[in-house]
């Protein structure tokens, strides 16, 4: 038999065998597993605990991300998230419930610490998929959510440092003593003023504020879960891009971009620069790639290649872009994938995983490009 004939035969046999293989995979009892972005070690542990106790998969992931939404020290999600350019925190979130194939979302919602729960109420208690801005806040308040100030001392400090760091092309900024002040006075005044305004601010808080001001983050949490009945759900929640124009909405609340779940195949979610993910409908692309036979890892790398192609695969232009996917197939196979092998701070991109026989922990993601 020639090699070509053999390959053709193998392909034909392979194609014929596919439904049988998929059938066998579906019949096996899947392992309970939760995965999330790297900031979700506690979220995965919680989500797994809820599903192992027999809880609903969507309640599980929401209980998981609520830990991060309520954490004042996570500056990318919920309470303590970095605000928009006017110093107001605006949050985005989406949820998808695999068993009922439903979803819900909120975008640019102010004053509510747990937008993931509001997104769940949109799904359960309205005939809509997404509420935004003022309407989303009014709906949340009608549902009994408390309107609160979402700024913490750190996030307010970071915003003030960011405003004071803006300069015109001659290096001038209107904050601090005027140009008519004595020589040398302007140089230290901004920092000194901030120290007076924030007497509790430690050097570490000021250093973090400077980091936030100069490298605006788009942190987010995505969490996906699978239970041993094969049911899946997912959530993505964020304060979005720091210092954004008020009303800017990223990928997190957009079903198909920041989150997609089809429990007949799997689920995917993302963190990083939402604008790039929206352009490739990343989470939906990944689930469809898996539907057509790709592994979670290859499905996510393919989505990253699509994002890179929008920049003509030009590594220089892609350099400032952070984009990460988290993928869970309905048989428990999973992957984390990032555009770059290192974040701006030099750390390797990671994601969190919790399984029945291993405590929640971080693993390294695969990546498309290596930073020199
Ligand atoms: N991925 C979060 C955002 O861009 O808002």
């Amino acid at each position: 038999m020639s090699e070509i004939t053999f390959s053709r035969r193998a392909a034909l046999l392979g194609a014929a065998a596919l439904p049988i293989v998929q059938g066998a995979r579906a019949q096996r009892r899947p392992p309970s597993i939760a995965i999330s972005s790297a900031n979700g070690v506690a979220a995965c542990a919680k989500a797994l605990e809820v599903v192992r106790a027999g809880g609903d998969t969507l309640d599980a992931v929401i209980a998981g991300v609520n830990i991060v939404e309520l954490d004042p020290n996570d500056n990318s999600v919920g309470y303590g998230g970095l605000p928009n350019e006017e110093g107001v925190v605006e949050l985005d979130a989406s949820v998808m419930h695999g068993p009922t194939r439903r979803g819900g979302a909120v975008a640019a919602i102010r004053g509510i610490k747990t937008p993931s729960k509001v997104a769940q109420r949109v799904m359960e208690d309205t005939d809509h998929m997404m509420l935004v801005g003022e309407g989303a806040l009014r709906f949340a308040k009608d549902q009994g959510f408390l309107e609160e100030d979402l700024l913490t001392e750190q996030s307010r400090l970071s915003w003030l440092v960011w405003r004071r760091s803006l300069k015109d092309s001659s290096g001038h900024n209107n904050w601090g003593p005027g140009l008519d002040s004595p020589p040398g006075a302007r140089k230290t005044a901004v920092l000194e003023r901030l120290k007076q305004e924030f007497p509790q601010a430690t050097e570490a808080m000021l250093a973090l504020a400077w980091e936030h001001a100069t490298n605006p983050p788009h942190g987010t949490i995505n969490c996906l879960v699978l239970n041993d009945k094969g049911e899946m759900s997912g959530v993505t929640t964020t304060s979005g891009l720091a210092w954004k124009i008020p009303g800017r909405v990223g990928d997190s609340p957009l079903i198909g971009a920041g989150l997609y779940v089809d429990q007949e195949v799997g689920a995917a979610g993302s963190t990083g620069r939402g604008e790039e993910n929206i352009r490739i409908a990343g989470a939906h692309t990944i689930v469809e790639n898996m539907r057509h036979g790709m592994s979670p890892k290859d499905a996510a790398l393919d989505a990253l290649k699509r994002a890179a192609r929008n920049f003509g695969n030009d590594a220089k232009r892609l350099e400032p872009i952070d984009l990460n996917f988290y993928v869970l197939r309905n048989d428990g196979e999973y992957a984390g994938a990032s555009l770059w092998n290192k974040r701006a701070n030099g750390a390797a991109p990671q994601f969190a995983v919790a399984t029945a026989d291993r405590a929640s922990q971080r693993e390294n993601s695969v990546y498309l490009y290596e930073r020199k």
Side-chain angles (χ1 to χ4, degrees):
M1 190 187 297
S2 77
E3 205 179 308
I4 292 172
T5 317
F6 177 78
S7 300
R8 274 216 195 109
R9 220 175 102 100
L12 282 171
L13 278 173
L18 201 59
I20 300 166
V21 173
Q22 281 177 346
R25 208 172 75 196
Q27 274 160 27
R28 237 183 289 131
R29 210 171 158 79
S32 297
I33 178 165
I35 77 163
S36 80
S37 40
N39 53 351
V41 174
C44 283
K46 183 70 189 176
L48 194 72
E49 181 193 312
V50 173
V51 293
R52 294 193 76 207
D56 175 73
T57 47
L58 184 55
D59 290 338
V61 285
I62 290 177
V65 300
N66 285 167
I67 298 170
V68 184
E69 287 176 325
L70 296 171
D71 179 357
N73 296 318
D74 188 308
N75 299 123
S76 67
V77 180
Y79 177 52
L82 295 174
N84 64 23
E85 65 178 12
E86 292 174 355
V88 181
V89 181
E90 288 183 338
L91 306 174
D92 299 336
S94 61
V95 299
M96 282 194 86
H97 185 238
T100 55
R101 312 180 74 83
R102 291 197 299 164
V106 287
I109 186 172
R110 301 176 172 194
I112 305 291
K113 284 181 172 171
T114 52
S116 63
K117 281 190 173 171
V118 187
Q120 185 181 26
R121 293 288 178 87
V122 172
M123 182 187 98
E124 288 174 353
D125 295 335
T126 77
D127 193 25
H128 304 317
M129 283 295 279
M130 181 188 275
L131 295 178
V132 307
E134 184 57 32
L137 173 58
R138 275 213 297 273
F139 167 76
K141 285 184 358 193
D142 281 354
Q143 294 276 322
F145 286 84
L146 197 64
E147 185 179 2
E148 296 174 85
D149 180 5
L150 303 187
L151 281 179
T152 56
E153 183 146 278
Q154 176 69 62
S155 59
R156 190 162 165 271
L157 176 67
S158 294
W159 173 64
L160 291 174
V161 170
W162 170 72
R163 270 207 320 185
R164 284 156 172 76
S165 72
L166 301 175
K167 292 188 173 71
D168 67 19
S169 57
S170 71
H172 178 68
N173 168 310
N174 289 324
W175 290 94
L179 291 174
D180 56 356
S181 58
R186 281 184 63 80
K187 204 168 171 191
T188 50
V190 170
L191 214 56
E192 285 311 315
R193 186 82 191 87
L194 284 168
K195 281 185 179 160
Q196 279 167 21
E197 247 181 87
F198 293 87
Q200 324 300 6
T202 58
E203 290 298 322
M205 283 175 76
L206 284 165
L208 184 59
W210 184 251
E211 174 61 25
H212 287 154
T214 48
N215 287 310
H218 344 45
T220 297
I221 182 164
N222 164 250
C223 187
L224 309 168
V225 79
L226 166 71
N227 70 12
D228 65 5
K229 290 187 248 162
E231 294 168 338
M232 303 186 80
S233 287
V235 58
T236 305
T237 174
T238 189
S239 51
L241 174 64
W243 333 131
K244 60 192 169 188
I245 297 172
R248 179 264 189 190
V249 170
D251 58 334
S252 305
L254 302 183
I255 295 209
L259 177 69
Y260 197 70
V261 178
D262 179 345
Q263 66 179 36
E264 282 171 21
V265 178
S270 77
T271 62
R273 189 177 141 82
E275 282 73 5
E276 299 326 317
N277 187 28
I278 293 169
R279 288 209 277 167
I280 58 157
H284 185 261
T285 293
I286 290 170
V287 172
E288 292 311 298
N289 280 345
M290 291 196 290
R291 194 189 305 279
H292 295 114
M294 281 190 196
S295 67
K297 180 180 81 136
D298 290 343
L301 285 171
D302 174 70
L304 289 165
K305 282 181 194 156
R306 294 179 193 217
R309 200 181 52 198
N310 286 339
F311 286 73
N313 300 311
D314 181 342
K316 195 110 204 89
R317 287 177 66 210
L318 287 162
E319 185 102 11
I321 291 168
D322 172 41
L323 186 57
N324 316 284
F325 290 112
Y326 313 96
V327 192
L328 180 57
R329 201 168 60 189
N330 69 351
D331 60 352
E333 186 81 24
Y334 62 85
S338 295
L339 192 59
W340 290 99
N341 66 329
K342 283 185 203 156
R343 299 197 176 289
N345 65 7
Q350 294 190 309
F351 63 105
V353 190
T355 61
D357 33 84
R358 228 187 45 187
S360 186
Q361 58 190 270
R362 293 196 181 99
E363 290 185 18
N364 284 345
S365 300
V366 294
Y367 54 84
L368 197 59
Y369 289 115
E370 282 192 15
R371 285 191 201 280
K372 296 276 176 288

